[in-house]
Amino acid sequence: MRTRVSLVLLALLCVGMLAGAASAAPTTELHIVKIAADGQTILNETTIDYRWMEANLPVLGDGVTHYYHQGPVFEGDKWDPEETTNFKDRGAVKGTDVRDLAELVGGAEPGDEIMVRAADGYHVEFAYQNVYEPDPRQGPIGICWYNGAESGAGERQGCGYVPDYYTGMRLVFFADNSTNADGLHVYGNQDMYETLPESAQHFYDLYPSTGGLTVKWIDEIRVYTGGFHGERGALAGSLNGPATEATTEPPETPLSLMVTLTAALGAAALHARRGA
């Protein structure tokens, strides 16, 4: 009996890993949508690809300058205001400002929030001010579709346009170099503390980490009129798929239990992948 249970758990783990692998792929298109204050009604939407973005919208980055985020700092001041350690090199990226993307569907106003969602459902939300009026130490929030040079160390990302840039399309903060003694463009943990509201800050356990904000494989931008009122941290389904009707929830069957366990395993893996 114990062997059978172990085999079932192993099978579920494999299914979860396969599901994660299926969603872990470069994206080349963005679905952009503006949603009414009821959180459901779509007011406007469009779908564009990276080629259209480069040809028709201002480009962030030059393909030479590297942009960095910061991982958790476990010794000393966890906010590390001097920006001394654990930099995450996101490459020599080029991309498109989330503000310009939001404008394609009618833009945002004070009080609205803009969601950036990945293909696997992971998402982050930003206030109007952070997208439309960013502090220079934060910089514009970009959706990157090109990487001109590999990272100096750490995660390999691929070079060129997506899909050769295989961690793209990716969210990157195009911070200035005003707070870094070495002149690097780092969006550090102290920068996050100074520029993002607490609800948008990212932590790895109890340690701040801007690295966790650099979402990979982005496929959707949503402008929520009046702010996002859904569950933060929960996976968000795509609005680009077929519509589904609400139904009465059936009793849980062995198959639905397996799906539930698979989802739990996938969520645990997602947390581990996104954490820092």
Side-chain angles (χ1 to χ4, degrees):
M1 180 64 179
R2 182 176 299 176
T3 300
R4 181 178 299 175
V5 172
S6 298
L7 290 173
V8 170
L9 290 175
L10 180 59
L12 289 172
L13 180 60
C14 290
V15 171
M17 291 174 66
L18 287 172
S23 63
T27 52
T28 59
E29 290 187 342
L30 280 180
H31 179 223
I32 309 167
V33 57
K34 184 167 184 174
I35 299 174
D38 62 10
Q40 296 181 345
T41 304
I42 293 177
L43 300 175
N44 194 8
E45 61 183 325
T46 188
T47 299
I48 56 176
D49 67 13
Y50 72 94
R51 298 179 188 87
W52 190 94
M53 285 187 265
E54 183 178 31
N56 293 278
L57 297 174
V59 174
L60 297 174
D62 57 13
V64 176
T65 304
H66 285 242
Y67 291 86
Y68 302 81
H69 285 238
Q70 189 172 26
V73 176
F74 299 110
E75 296 183 2
D77 187 341
K78 66 182 181 180
W79 295 100
D80 190 27
E82 300 300 321
E83 294 181 352
T84 61
T85 188
N86 204 8
F87 297 158
K88 307 294 184 180
D89 186 350
R90 296 312 185 205
V93 289
K94 295 198 292 186
T96 304
D97 196 326
V98 171
R99 177 183 60 191
D100 294 327
L101 296 170
E103 286 296 305
L104 297 177
V105 293
E109 298 179 356
D112 296 347
E113 284 188 298
I114 295 92
M115 173 190 285
V116 178
R117 177 197 175 276
D120 56 12
Y122 185 78
H123 59 97
V124 290
E125 291 77 44
F126 299 104
Y128 169 90
Q129 288 80 5
N130 294 106
V131 174
Y132 276 77
E133 302 169 353
D135 187 299
R137 66 189 295 176
Q138 172 206 294
I141 302 174
I143 306 301
C144 296
W145 29 258
Y146 177 86
N147 181 26
E150 265 295 2
S151 307
E155 180 183 24
R156 301 291 89 183
Q157 303 185 100
C159 291
Y161 291 92
V162 287
D164 292 331
Y165 168 35
Y166 45 77
T167 58
M169 291 186 282
R170 186 170 202 164
L171 186 155
V172 173
F173 285 70
F174 283 78
D176 69 9
N177 58 2
S178 64
T179 59
N180 186 268
D182 296 322
L184 300 177
H185 293 263
V186 179
Y187 186 55
N189 296 333
Q190 183 69 27
D191 295 328
M192 177 176 68
Y193 179 80
E194 297 288 347
T195 61
L196 287 186
E198 187 175 355
S199 62
Q201 294 175 18
H202 181 85
F203 289 80
Y204 177 75
D205 292 331
L206 298 177
Y207 296 90
S209 170
T210 67
L213 295 171
T214 56
V215 183
K216 306 176 190 176
W217 311 310
I218 294 166
D219 71 348
E220 208 158 57
I221 304 294
R222 304 180 189 176
V223 178
Y224 280 92
T225 305
F228 174 64
H229 301 296
E231 183 180 355
R232 298 176 190 268
L235 298 182
S238 175
L239 297 177
N240 222 2
T244 57
E245 296 182 359
T247 59
T248 302
E249 184 177 353
E252 191 166 87
T253 64
L255 178 59
S256 62
L257 178 60
M258 290 176 66
V259 172
T260 300
L261 289 172
T262 301
L265 287 168
L270 178 65
H271 174 75
R273 177 167 67 80
R274 299 292 188 185

